[in-house]
Amino acid sequence: MKELKEIRFNETDIQLQDNLVRGSILPEKIAELNRNIIFKGNNVVEGPVYAHRLEIQQGDLEIQGAVFAQNELYVNSEAKGSISFKKSVGCASSVVSRASNCKLIFYSDINAKSVTLYNAFVAGSIYADEVVLQNCVVIGGVFATQEIDMTDSVVGTFNTPSIRVAGIIHLLLPSAFSIEKMIVAAGTKMYNLSLADLGSLYKGLPQSENSGKIEMDIETDEVTSKLVGDDMQKTLRSYTVVGKVLAADLLDTDKFQNHFLLTAASLGSQLLKTYDLGVDKDGKTASLTVENIRNFFFDILAGKIEIQEMDGKFDLSQITREG
């Protein structure tokens, strides 16, 4: 890998391959605002990056500072290797990656007009007008001002006017929201993992008896609310298992360690030390690194880790006795 200690780029496009950039790639004059950056493989940038269009043709790539692209941030569909953004990513237009053979990790939030991601891990949240996710994990929320199209993904929650779901969808938080009725493809299943024993699963240990995923019925688990203002009225639909979660709160769910695991993922590189969940099934320390958490959730998506099902129905008196 070549180390570029002092960078003197001109106003034309920048192409980097086998480079370590000790610093930022930022424009210093107006003409450089239209400069495109192309990463061709095996690059590390230790500072922030600005580009008119940022293209990643090949991994490995690690950008340790914040990233902003004026026109587009694009990951080539044939890209391989590891691609990671350690800070927040923004774009005035679109963030697009349909690559199926690379390990794409966003350690923080994504903010763009449109976001299309396949096989990506986002430790933060996504904010956009339109979002398309396929085989993705988003620890935070997916917040769209227009619509979300989601297939075979794990997300913390979502809030959008319109949403279409397909495949198997997992929610990490008790509730998610839309304005229009959710469009559900045939054969779609939605599960809520609020009461799943993620801590034990992460360590490869047996799951707690009173834990598991709750299969959500889009019809019965939908709650419609009317929001009325001075000059407007809006309908908000929530898809929630919050009643079941509140009832189960009488149990000792702290031992699930879900909150600690998800917080460690969302804070990512901001943590000054690596935390752990104790000892795993092999007697080794179950370290909470972003990459380990990413692998854990993708194993859930792939069915390599099976979460036991929990009956969504509950008897309050029975739960009280167990508590």
Side-chain angles (χ1 to χ4, degrees):
M1 179 179 288
K2 303 172 186 176
E3 179 179 336
L4 304 184
K5 293 184 178 179
E6 183 176 353
I7 306 174
R8 295 186 181 276
F9 295 124
N10 55 30
E11 298 168 9
T12 60
D13 295 353
I14 300 171
Q15 299 188 32
L16 295 175
Q17 184 171 10
D18 300 322
N19 291 120
L20 169 61
V21 180
R22 292 194 179 278
S24 61
I25 305 178
L26 299 174
E28 296 182 353
K29 49 188 177 181
I30 294 176
E32 294 176 353
L33 291 173
N34 293 323
R35 189 170 58 189
N36 301 322
I37 300 177
I38 301 172
F39 291 100
K40 293 190 169 184
N42 195 28
N43 292 288
V44 175
V45 181
E46 295 184 345
V49 173
Y50 172 92
H52 183 259
R53 182 178 187 271
L54 192 152
E55 179 181 349
I56 301 168
Q57 293 184 351
Q58 201 62 258
D60 292 340
L61 170 65
E62 179 181 302
I63 301 180
Q64 298 174 4
V67 174
F68 184 82
Q70 181 65 34
N71 183 44
E72 182 183 38
L73 189 158
Y74 175 74
V75 179
N76 191 294
S77 298
E78 304 300 320
K80 296 181 180 179
S82 176
I83 300 171
S84 61
F85 299 90
K86 292 298 183 76
K87 298 289 178 64
S88 58
V89 170
C91 184
S93 184
S94 60
V95 174
V96 179
S97 173
R98 295 185 177 89
S100 58
N101 295 316
C102 75
K103 182 183 290 186
L104 178 60
I105 302 179
F106 296 85
Y107 281 67
S108 189
D109 297 336
I110 303 173
N111 197 317
K113 189 172 181 61
S114 70
V115 175
T116 300
L117 295 177
Y118 289 19
N119 311 298
F121 179 86
V122 182
S125 296
I126 298 175
Y127 304 90
D129 291 342
E130 300 175 351
V131 180
V132 177
L133 299 176
Q134 182 170 311
N135 196 50
C136 289
V137 177
V138 181
I139 298 298
V142 182
F143 305 100
T145 59
Q146 294 181 14
E147 62 181 2
I148 296 173
D149 190 326
M150 188 159 48
T151 304
D152 292 322
S153 294
V154 177
V155 300
T157 184
F158 59 78
N159 193 337
T160 180
S162 174
I163 181 167
R164 177 190 176 277
V165 294
I168 299 178
I169 304 297
H170 296 87
L171 294 178
L172 299 174
L173 299 179
S175 303
F177 307 90
S178 71
I179 294 176
E180 299 174 9
K181 194 171 185 64
M182 185 187 301
I183 301 172
V184 182
T188 299
K189 289 185 177 294
M190 181 176 287
Y191 295 99
N192 194 286
L193 304 185
S194 298
L195 296 178
D197 189 0
L198 298 180
S200 294
L201 288 165
Y202 188 82
K203 294 181 286 188
L205 300 175
Q207 302 168 62
S208 299
E209 184 178 350
N210 54 357
S211 70
K213 61 185 180 183
I214 301 173
E215 183 171 357
M216 300 180 68
D217 187 311
I218 303 302
E219 297 296 332
T220 60
D221 288 328
E222 177 188 300
V223 178
T224 303
S225 304
K226 298 284 186 182
L227 305 179
V228 180
D230 293 336
D231 300 315
M232 61 173 290
Q233 178 175 310
K234 182 179 290 186
T235 299
L236 181 66
R237 304 174 192 273
S238 60
Y239 309 92
T240 181
V241 294
V242 68
K244 301 156 192 174
V245 173
L246 288 173
D249 196 43
L250 297 170
L251 302 171
D252 182 15
T253 54
D254 287 343
K255 62 186 177 183
F256 293 170
Q257 298 178 301
N258 293 4
H259 181 71
F260 190 50
L261 188 153
L262 298 178
T263 301
S266 61
L267 290 176
S269 57
Q270 300 178 54
L271 296 175
L272 298 178
K273 59 178 281 189
T274 300
Y275 291 88
D276 63 77
L277 290 182
V279 178
D280 64 15
K281 65 175 182 178
D282 299 320
K284 300 178 181 178
T285 302
S287 300
L288 288 171
T289 64
V290 171
E291 185 157 328
N292 287 348
I293 296 171
R294 179 253 180 214
N295 294 339
F296 169 68
F297 279 109
F298 271 96
D299 283 346
I300 291 177
L301 269 181
K304 296 178 182 178
I305 294 178
E306 294 188 8
I307 305 174
Q308 64 192 18
E309 290 203 36
M310 182 179 183
D311 190 352
K313 301 175 182 178
F314 61 89
D315 183 337
L316 187 59
S317 61
Q318 181 182 359
I319 291 177
T320 305
R321 286 198 302 272
E322 290 180 1

